[in-house]
Amino acid sequence: MRQFNNILVTGGAGFIGCNFIRYIFEQTDYSGNIINFDKLTYAGNPESLAGIAAQHKDKYTFIHADICDTKIVESTLEKYKIDCIVHFAAESHVDRSISGPAEFITTNINGTFTLLEAAKTYWQDRKDVLFHHISTDEVYGSLGDTGYFFEDTPYDPRSPYSASKAASDHIVQAYKHTYNLPVTMSNCSNNYGPFHFPEKLIPLMILNTLGKKPLPVYGEGLNVRDWLYVTDHADAIWKIITQGTIGESYNVGGENEWKNIDVVHKLCELVAGETSEPVDSYKDLITYVTDRPGHDLRYAINCDKIKNELGWKQSVTFEEGLLSTIRWYIKNTDWIKHVQSGEYTKWIEKNYVER
Ligand code: NAD
Ligand code: DAU
């Protein structure tokens, strides 16, 4: 087992990053420090870690900064003697990448380059260090009705988001091959769970059912995604950074494919069970809207490698995960009020066009 003393988590105030930091403190025996480096874009919310920050004052540090800022990145690595970087920070929403790709290019490509360059300079030839890059299954493109993405599936990104993630993956690979930087990488399918910003399908549908607002389904709702509960992703990342083979990439997925319309129906049923409202009062809210341009039809991950080599497996069923997510959104009204009061609401209003 590899051990680290000072882990830098970029994007730790975002959805998966904050769940990963929680997972480390709550479900591992890690006794070192966590430095959360986050610019706090619309998607970053330090409130998601308020309890952790208070409970682990001596082990947890938050740095409000941009991964594109070379000086701050370099000084952070030195000041906190970072020996592991887990790189989540990114612009992550496909629809936003279509309406405004510039930030995606800047953060996802230049930001990753800045981190890699600073890590190379600070670590020199050390081998007891690690740069773990978090990526997505979207870099592999879109599948038809059959087939799976494997680690060696050729990249075929199709949105500005996935193209920017693919570019960052290639730069990580270049630093491995050219400079022998110790890196690992993971490409994961769609996550869901608590602290998910409600522009993404599952939290948006939960909040809109609860608020009796339209449930906007793109196109015919027939696109397929492979859903994974976020703590199962956190567990996979922890296994990779502590036990994964240096230089390797691992696919992570839920083996849990659903058409979007079926996810929405399932959510209506589960929310009805929690609120005792008739399920049809929720299903009637379904509104088919214009499709996402270039909408990838299907993603499906083969994750045999991480299962066979690292003994990872999914532990939360879709039913369990959705129920606990719905309950979390019902309970955490302050968190929701705070995220909904920002730019998010205005952006949603501007972008949906009912068909
Ligand atoms: P998110 O949008 O919820 O969070 C991103 C975080 O990065 C935010 O806290 C934001 O403030 C921060 N950030 C953005 N730009 C920054 C910058 N320039 N400098 C510092 N911080 C910055 O994203 P997420 O859903 O948690 O995704 C995290 C990572 O996982 C991303 O790299 C994404 O590509 C990848 N990923 C996400 C999923 C998913 O289903 N959400 C699946 C596979 C991979
Ligand atoms: O596959 C991993 C990727 O999953 C991550 O890399 C991305 O960061 C993450 O955002 C996610 O991308 P998707 O585009 O698959 O997720 P999203 O929740 O935006 O959409 C899921 C599906 O639901 C997709 O087919 C589009 C559709 N959709 C989405 C929204 C927000 C709707 O039909 N209506 C909606 O309102």
Side-chain angles (χ1 to χ4, degrees):
M1 283 269 279
R2 265 187 296 279
Q3 290 194 336
F4 302 106
N5 297 312
N6 300 298
I7 300 179
L8 182 81
V9 177
T10 70
F15 164 49
I16 308 177
C18 80
N19 278 289
F20 178 69
I21 291 174
R22 285 177 171 276
Y23 170 89
I24 293 186
F25 281 119
E26 290 165 3
Q27 295 189 51
T28 74
D29 57 3
Y30 178 67
S31 58
N33 300 303
I34 298 285
I35 294 86
N36 177 5
F37 189 106
D38 198 301
K39 183 181 171 183
L40 297 183
T41 66
Y42 78 96
N45 184 354
E47 207 179 330
S48 305
L49 286 164
I52 292 284
Q55 217 183 322
H56 299 277
K57 268 195 212 86
D58 50 336
K59 300 269 175 211
Y60 174 80
T61 304
F62 179 71
I63 296 173
H64 182 195
D66 188 334
I67 55 165
C68 300
D69 186 331
T70 306
K71 281 213 170 85
I72 298 181
V73 170
E74 286 174 348
S75 64
T76 301
L77 298 189
E78 281 173 29
K79 181 172 176 191
Y80 295 96
K81 298 186 170 48
I82 298 299
D83 52 7
C84 176
I85 298 173
V86 185
H87 176 34
F88 292 93
E91 287 295 334
S92 70
H93 194 47
V94 175
D95 294 326
R96 286 180 190 257
S97 84
I98 295 167
S99 52
E103 277 300 305
F104 288 71
I105 304 302
T106 305
T107 286
N108 299 2
I109 304 178
N110 295 344
T112 302
F113 163 70
T114 303
L115 282 169
L116 286 163
E117 190 58 17
K120 170 169 83 74
T121 307
Y122 174 59
W123 287 338
Q124 300 286 324
D125 292 324
R126 278 175 65 181
K127 292 291 164 243
D128 59 338
V129 290
L130 181 70
F131 187 105
H132 180 74
H133 180 60
I134 309 288
S135 192
T136 168
D137 58 358
E138 299 199 12
V139 297
Y140 299 122
S142 180
L143 292 165
D145 291 339
T146 57
Y148 294 93
F149 298 135
F150 293 83
E151 281 82 358
D152 59 0
T153 299
Y155 276 28
D156 182 24
R158 294 150 48 97
S159 71
Y161 163 70
S162 55
S164 68
K165 291 298 290 186
S168 68
D169 293 9
H170 288 315
I171 302 171
V172 171
Q173 293 298 329
Y175 273 67
K176 170 183 94 176
H177 289 292
T178 309
Y179 306 112
N180 290 319
L181 192 75
V183 305
T184 48
M185 199 162 85
S186 47
N187 294 77
C188 189
S189 66
N190 286 62
N191 287 214
Y192 70 101
F195 303 105
H196 206 179
F197 191 82
E199 65 187 347
K200 307 289 201 295
L201 181 75
I202 288 183
L204 179 75
M205 295 297 162
I206 294 173
L207 291 185
N208 284 12
T209 50
L210 293 170
K212 296 279 169 71
K213 293 184 183 154
L215 308 178
V217 173
Y218 297 170
E220 308 298 325
L222 300 179
N223 302 67
V224 174
R225 297 294 183 264
D226 168 14
W227 295 98
L228 178 72
Y229 195 65
V230 64
T231 50
D232 279 337
H233 187 189
D235 181 42
I237 296 164
W238 186 251
K239 286 204 163 59
I240 296 168
I241 67 175
T242 56
Q243 298 167 54
T245 305
I246 298 293
E248 291 293 306
S249 292
Y250 295 87
N251 278 355
V252 183
E255 297 178 301
N256 176 42
E257 291 180 48
W258 285 71
K259 289 193 179 84
N260 293 335
I261 189 64
D262 295 337
V263 172
V264 176
H265 281 146
K266 184 81 188 158
L267 285 169
C268 290
E269 284 154 24
L270 293 174
V271 171
E274 294 301 298
T275 57
S276 307
E277 293 276 332
V279 66
D280 282 344
S281 71
Y282 293 128
K283 288 192 177 169
D284 288 347
L285 299 170
I286 292 173
T287 310
Y288 290 94
V289 298
T290 42
D291 208 351
R292 173 184 282 175
H295 198 170
D296 288 343
L297 177 67
R298 174 172 167 260
Y299 304 141
I301 275 273
N302 176 294
C303 49
D304 286 352
K305 179 174 171 177
I306 188 170
K307 286 183 148 180
N308 296 335
E309 291 185 13
L310 304 182
W312 173 84
K313 62 177 176 0
Q314 308 89 350
S315 68
V316 181
T317 66
F318 202 36
E319 179 103 6
E320 287 165 354
L322 286 179
L323 255 186
S324 68
T325 306
I326 290 166
R327 288 178 183 153
W328 189 88
Y329 280 93
I330 289 176
K331 197 164 151 214
N332 287 275
T333 44
D334 280 351
W335 186 92
I336 290 154
K337 247 185 255 154
H338 298 160
V339 295
Q340 281 187 326
S341 61
E343 183 206 337
Y344 160 72
T345 333
K346 285 182 230 144
W347 185 88
I348 289 285
E349 279 165 12
K350 252 195 350 236
N351 283 274
Y352 289 138
V353 182
E354 193 167 336
R355 276 199 295 147

